Amino acid sequence: MDSYLQNTGGAIDEQSHLARILYRFDAANLILINNKAAGLLKYYRDKSCWVIVQVQLAPEHQGKGLGAKILNNLLAQATREGKAVTLSVLKGNPAIHLYRRLGFVVASESDSEYSLCFTPKIN
């Protein structure tokens, strides 16, 4: 993530890294493959929507559909509850292509990031 943070003017010092790790640590879920850490998913539910704080996969697990599978599962759960899902992504992060494929749309943007929203289709 350092290159994306640097490109958008974000801090990459140890204190900033620790602050990002600790932010909503209560919402952290370790992603395990064969009982080995493969990534991290931080998300929480509030009254109006679900918020994805962080999705990270170790490089050896990227590009294999795992992120899409995890997010599709989360989106299906939120859809059953009739809740929207929001997240932010740094500009320049190629993960935005995955989020758009899954149905997220840009709700707003700042100089450094996009705020995205997935709104479930209610039949």
Side-chain angles (χ1 to χ4, degrees):
M1 295 296 297
D2 281 357
S3 63
Y4 306 129
L5 287 164
Q6 282 180 312
N7 289 340
T8 59
I12 59 168
D13 59 276
E14 286 301 313
Q15 186 174 359
S16 298
H17 281 305
L18 182 59
R20 281 189 291 277
I21 290 168
L22 294 177
Y23 177 73
R24 291 306 309 238
F25 191 74
D26 60 308
N29 297 275
L30 197 57
I31 300 166
L32 299 174
I33 296 178
N34 298 323
N35 290 325
K36 293 183 182 176
L40 179 72
L41 171 65
K42 282 188 197 176
Y43 76 97
Y44 64 92
R45 301 168 177 152
D46 68 18
K47 292 180 183 179
S48 62
C49 68
W50 290 26
V51 180
I52 298 173
V53 176
Q54 185 178 19
V55 180
Q56 285 189 315
L57 293 173
E60 63 269 21
H61 296 291
Q62 295 174 5
K64 299 177 181 177
L66 180 60
K69 186 175 182 178
I70 290 166
L71 290 172
N72 272 323
N73 185 23
L74 190 143
L75 294 175
Q77 291 176 52
T79 296
R80 284 191 294 275
E81 293 182 14
K83 301 285 185 174
V85 179
T86 64
L87 61 81
S88 296
V89 61
L90 291 169
K91 289 184 173 178
N93 185 334
I96 193 166
H97 302 296
L98 168 62
Y99 302 143
R100 286 185 169 155
R101 276 196 322 270
L102 295 176
F104 283 88
V105 296
V106 175
S108 64
E109 69 178 280
S110 70
D111 289 341
S112 60
E113 66 185 16
Y114 296 106
S115 293
L116 305 177
C117 184
F118 172 88
T119 305
K121 294 179 175 71
I122 300 173
N123 297 329

